[in-house]
Amino acid sequence: MSYKSLTTVVTSADEAQATIAPVVRLADALDAHLDVLALGVDRTQVGYAYIGGGSVILQAALDQAEAEARAAESAARAALEEYSSDQRWSVESAVAQLGALSDLVSLKARFADLVVLPPPYGKGKSAEAEAVVEAALFESQAPVLVLPETTREVAMPQRVVIGWNQSREAMVAVRRALPFLKGAQLVNIAIIDPPQHGPERSDPGGALCQMLVRHGVKAEVSVLARTMPRISDVLNRHVRDIDADMLVMGAYGHSRFREAILGGATRNMLEHAEVPVLMAH
């Protein structure tokens, strides 16, 4: 398997250049086709009564969303023409209400080998940024590569950390990441405080390491102590310690509602990641 179809989503003309520039370079390195979806979002709330002039308000919101979609598409095309040379790409625009965003994004992402998106959390991020990431993760069944805000270029990773906790989500992420893992110089399987009575108690990460080695992956295992309050902090520190340039992990082992209210490894990692994070659910 290789990544031959990449998809990204642009929700603002102002963010088009920063979103597209690193994705174009990754598509070039992978010799992949890049599809860009330029979104305009109608933020009116279905079910609310807009007393007096409701139809005017609804039409104005739709007109605004269509204008945003056209602006995002124009900015995306300009960025693609600036950063791509012989790269194969396509752009299309669409308008959706915030509540229907998931269906539109998942339909587009479903046929991608890899979805590449900016982080959904941070200063100035809108509600649709989170909705786009979650739609790609939960509805499309495609792996999602989330790039930190500081990322200007994405090359094929040479040193990759896998956040391994024996979960179904982590296993799915590892399988989806195989094209990257096979090309890396080193893949480090990081296990934080493995359970003493778990199925891998005698050899944490051993079965996964064996599987990867059979695929030609240069893999090793690191067992880490949870010396910091959050798992994401331990993983980020380990990424820095071994100078890794990508992290692979499962997404949302708990419900999204629980992570949104109480926090969790997925949300914390997306908020504080220092390298691209490949996630799958």
Side-chain angles (χ1 to χ4, degrees):
M1 174 189 170
S2 57
Y3 303 122
K4 289 304 178 185
S5 296
L6 271 58
T7 293
T8 193
V9 179
V10 175
T11 57
S12 165
D14 295 336
E15 298 177 359
Q17 190 173 57
T19 298
I20 286 175
V23 187
V24 166
R25 295 186 175 98
L26 179 60
D28 185 55
L30 294 167
D31 189 27
H33 186 102
L34 174 59
D35 296 309
V36 180
L37 175 62
L39 273 181
V41 181
D42 178 357
R43 298 175 180 82
T44 53
Q45 298 296 312
V46 177
Y48 278 72
Y50 295 92
I51 306 300
S55 60
V56 175
I57 294 172
L58 293 174
Q59 185 60 50
L62 180 59
D63 291 343
Q64 178 65 27
E66 290 176 346
E68 290 176 357
R70 289 193 297 271
E73 180 181 1
S74 297
R77 289 186 181 277
L80 286 162
E81 290 168 358
E82 177 180 354
Y83 291 107
S84 66
S85 53
D86 298 328
Q87 190 59 50
R88 303 179 302 278
W89 53 265
S90 63
V91 183
E92 66 175 278
S93 61
V95 173
Q97 286 194 318
L98 187 58
L101 202 60
S102 177
D103 291 339
L104 179 60
V105 172
S106 63
L107 180 62
K108 184 66 176 178
R110 186 173 301 158
F111 301 100
D113 296 319
L114 180 67
V115 181
V116 187
L117 297 171
Y121 307 115
K123 185 177 180 181
K125 292 294 181 180
S126 58
E128 54 262 29
E130 183 176 6
V132 166
V133 171
E134 292 193 350
L137 276 171
F138 284 90
E139 306 299 335
S140 75
Q141 297 298 304
V144 177
L145 184 65
V146 179
L147 306 180
E149 291 283 6
T150 55
T151 302
R152 295 294 176 264
E153 184 170 346
V154 182
M156 294 297 288
Q158 297 304 302
R159 300 175 71 85
V160 181
V161 169
I162 297 173
W164 179 244
N165 61 0
Q166 305 175 35
S167 68
R168 183 191 69 84
E169 293 82 7
M171 191 71 248
V172 171
V174 169
R175 293 189 185 279
R176 300 287 194 274
L178 272 175
F180 284 133
L181 303 181
K182 289 180 180 181
Q185 293 179 356
L186 175 69
V187 173
N188 183 272
I189 302 167
I191 306 168
I192 301 172
D193 281 353
Q196 295 181 356
H197 304 290
E200 295 187 344
R201 59 187 178 277
S202 61
D203 185 18
L208 176 61
C209 186
Q210 181 184 70
M211 185 197 89
L212 293 176
V213 168
R214 288 174 178 172
H215 278 280
V217 176
K218 303 173 184 67
E220 65 178 23
V221 177
S222 293
V223 178
L224 310 174
R226 185 170 179 174
T227 56
M228 305 174 79
R230 297 185 301 193
I231 289 175
S232 59
D233 293 334
V234 178
L235 284 174
N236 271 325
R237 183 178 63 184
H238 186 61
V239 165
R240 290 192 299 271
D241 287 346
I242 72 167
D243 195 26
D245 42 24
M246 181 177 288
L247 174 68
V248 174
M249 63 182 288
Y252 295 103
H254 300 296
S255 71
R256 283 173 284 177
F257 177 79
R258 176 177 171 179
E259 292 228 358
I261 301 301
L262 302 177
T266 304
R267 184 183 179 96
N268 290 336
M269 184 55 69
L270 291 177
E271 288 177 340
H272 303 291
E274 301 170 7
V275 298
V277 181
L278 189 147
M279 293 183 165
H281 179 78

